[in-house]
């Protein structure tokens, strides 16, 4: 039983071994293989004259070398028109980068943010509020420092100290907003493809610390201010002048608050804390890992490379070590 429409004998430049030449009913010399009592033709002819089994057609891999075995397939997304990189349709616009070119998440069809600040209202309100926060709180800080120096009573000194720290916290938040506006202007529409470059940068980490310190400092200082005013209203003692011991005590309290809020902000970026706060690693210019790579994706690559299964809860330090063992310095 020969196929009615077989390949001509010279259709393939890479005829596999154990193939049988035979003649079709239309007298065309073709290539088949024998399976039990049947002669079958399982070869797909590529545009470049290479032939591959039909099982390798539309399998998300350029087996022909010219992409013709994946052209016209409806089960995948082609990352670019010029590359041989394909991903399943289920991975298109799923929030995870699967294409080296980032086109699976940064195309217009996806609804992921293309810029840091996604609309004009947010852009202009951030510019306005950030600038006002910096300018006005700068004035408040200078004025409050002058009033602290002139404070003649204990409650006044305490209130002005906490007001000063509230202003400092709000000043930091204003600086954070202005910095975000600057970053948004710098990256523009390229942010989607450079998002992980930005998120893993020192500047972004520094801004995260500044915003956390500013928020906590303002919140804690307002709480201290409220408590101090409540105590002042409750006491019936005469208002006294601030002594040296009171000034030192207030200085210690303010210092503890500043140091505490700073430590809270720095806590997530300590290396010892990365197993709690880090959910993935980013590799720059790496042919295997791109986007943010979580533990599951690392484990799949490690299992294939090392030929064994690894604990999915391994530390990021161990992940980095295994990843380093896989590559040379040039990712060879």
């Amino acid at each position: 039983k020969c196929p009615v429409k077989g390949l001509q004998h010279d259709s393939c430049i890479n005829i596999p071994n154990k193939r049988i030449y035979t003649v079709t009913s239309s007298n065309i010399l073709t290539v088949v293989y024998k399976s039990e009592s049947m002669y079958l033709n399982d070869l797909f002819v590529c545009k470049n004259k290479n032939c591959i089994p039909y099982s390798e057609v539309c399998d998300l891999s350029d087996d022909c070398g010219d992409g013709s075995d994946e052209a016209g397939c409806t089960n995948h997304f082609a990352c670019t028109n010029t590359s041989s990189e394909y991903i399943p349709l289920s991975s298109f616009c799923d929030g995870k980068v699967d294409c080296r070119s980032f086109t699976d998440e940064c195309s217009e069809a996806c609804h992921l943010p293309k810029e840091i600040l996604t609309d004009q209202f947010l852009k202009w309100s951030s510019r306005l509020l950030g600038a006002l926060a910096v300018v006005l709180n700068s004035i408040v800080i200078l004025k409050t420092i002058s009033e602290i120096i002139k404070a003649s009573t204990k409650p006044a000194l305490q209130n002005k100290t906490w007001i000063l720290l509230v202003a400092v916290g709000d000043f930091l938040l204003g600086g954070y907003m202005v910095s975000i506006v600057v970053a948004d202007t710098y990256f523009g529409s390229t942010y989607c493809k450079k998002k992980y470059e930005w998120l893993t940068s020192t500047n972004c980490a520094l801004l995260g610390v500044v915003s956390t310190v500013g928020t906590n400092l303002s919140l804690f200082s307002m709480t201290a201010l409220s408590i101090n005013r409540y105590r002042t209203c409750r006491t019936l003692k005469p208002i006294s002048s601030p002594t040296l011991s009171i000034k030192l005590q207030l200085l210690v309290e303010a210092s503890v608050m500043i140091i505490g809020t700073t430590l809270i902000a720095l806590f997530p970026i300590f290396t010892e804390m990365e197993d709690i706060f880090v959910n993935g690693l980013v590799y720059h210019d790496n042919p295997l890992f791109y986007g943010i790579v979580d533990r599951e994706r690392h484990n799949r690559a490690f299992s294939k490379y090392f030929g064994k299964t690894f604990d999915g809860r391994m530390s990021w330090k161990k992940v980095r070590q295994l990843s380093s063992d896989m590559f040379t310095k040039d990712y060879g």
Side-chain angles (χ1 to χ4, degrees):
K1 296 181 180 180
C2 293
V4 177
K5 294 182 179 180
L7 300 175
Q8 295 191 24
H9 70 284
D10 59 352
S11 295
C12 302
I13 60 175
N14 61 330
I15 296 295
N17 295 329
K18 299 182 181 179
R19 298 289 166 158
I20 301 171
Y21 289 93
T22 186
V23 178
T24 67
S25 57
S26 55
N27 294 322
I28 296 176
L29 183 62
T30 187
V31 183
V32 296
Y33 75 98
K34 187 174 182 179
S35 175
E36 297 180 353
S37 61
M38 299 285 291
Y39 288 95
L40 304 176
N41 177 1
D42 71 336
L43 293 178
F44 172 82
V45 183
C46 307
K47 287 184 179 180
N48 58 10
K49 289 288 188 176
N50 281 316
C51 288
I52 61 172
Y54 276 111
S55 60
E56 296 180 0
V57 177
C58 294
D59 65 347
L60 308 182
S61 176
D62 180 12
D63 301 290
C64 283
D66 61 2
S68 55
D69 57 314
E70 301 299 319
C73 299
T74 58
N75 67 329
H76 68 230
F77 170 77
C79 291
T80 64
N81 294 328
T82 57
S83 74
S84 56
E85 188 179 5
Y86 307 93
I87 62 171
L89 282 179
S90 59
S91 297
F92 179 63
C93 293
D94 65 346
K96 298 180 180 179
V97 177
D98 298 284
C99 291
R100 294 182 181 89
S101 59
F102 285 65
T103 50
D104 60 314
E105 302 300 329
C106 295
S107 68
E108 293 300 324
C110 301
H111 299 291
L112 293 179
K114 305 299 185 295
E115 300 179 65
I116 297 178
L117 302 176
T118 55
D119 58 71
Q120 291 300 318
F121 174 78
L122 194 58
K123 291 176 185 290
W124 284 104
S125 61
S126 297
R127 290 187 178 100
L128 177 62
L129 295 177
L132 286 175
V134 169
V135 173
L136 296 181
N137 281 289
S138 296
I139 297 173
V140 172
I141 290 171
L142 294 176
K143 182 179 178 182
T144 306
I145 291 175
S146 175
E147 292 175 347
I148 288 175
I149 296 173
K150 299 176 183 178
S152 58
T153 65
K154 175 183 175 181
L157 179 63
Q158 291 173 326
N159 289 339
K160 293 302 179 181
T161 299
W162 301 128
I163 290 173
L164 174 63
L165 293 185
V166 170
V168 171
D170 291 345
F171 173 83
L172 292 176
L173 288 175
Y176 167 77
M177 294 178 68
V178 171
S179 299
I180 290 297
V181 169
V182 172
D184 176 69
T185 304
Y186 174 78
F187 286 104
S189 59
T190 67
Y191 172 70
C192 186
K193 293 184 178 181
K194 295 182 178 180
K195 177 172 65 174
Y196 298 112
E197 175 186 330
W198 163 247
L199 293 177
T200 57
S201 67
T202 303
N203 290 336
C204 184
L206 179 60
L207 284 181
V209 171
V210 169
S211 66
T212 304
V213 170
T215 301
N216 290 334
L217 188 60
S218 180
L219 176 62
F220 295 161
S221 299
M222 290 178 66
T223 302
L225 178 63
S226 300
I227 294 174
N228 185 65
R229 285 180 172 177
Y230 174 75
R231 287 177 175 175
T232 302
C233 293
R234 296 253 316 168
T235 183
L236 297 177
K237 295 180 181 180
I239 298 176
S240 59
S241 300
T243 62
L244 179 59
S245 62
I246 292 176
K247 292 180 180 179
L248 290 176
Q249 178 184 348
L250 195 56
L251 177 61
V252 170
E253 291 175 355
S255 300
V256 169
M257 184 174 292
I258 294 173
I259 294 173
T261 55
T262 304
L263 289 177
I264 291 173
L266 293 174
F267 190 69
I269 64 176
F270 288 153
T271 304
E272 293 78 10
M273 296 294 106
E274 65 179 5
D275 289 330
I276 299 176
F277 294 100
V278 174
N279 57 14
L281 300 180
V282 175
Y283 299 84
H284 299 291
D285 301 321
N286 188 305
L288 178 62
F289 295 133
Y290 33 91
I292 185 167
V293 188
D294 57 17
R295 282 188 173 92
E296 180 182 355
R297 190 170 167 189
H298 276 107
N299 287 338
R300 288 199 301 267
F302 295 157
S303 297
K304 290 182 180 180
Y305 183 83
F306 294 103
K308 61 180 181 179
T309 304
F310 291 88
D311 184 0
R313 297 168 298 178
M314 75 176 80
S315 67
W316 287 116
K317 181 179 180 181
K318 179 66 174 179
V319 169
R320 289 191 182 91
Q321 179 183 343
L322 291 172
S323 179
S324 177
D325 292 341
M326 289 178 62
F327 301 100
T328 65
K329 291 183 179 180
D330 297 324
Y331 297 114

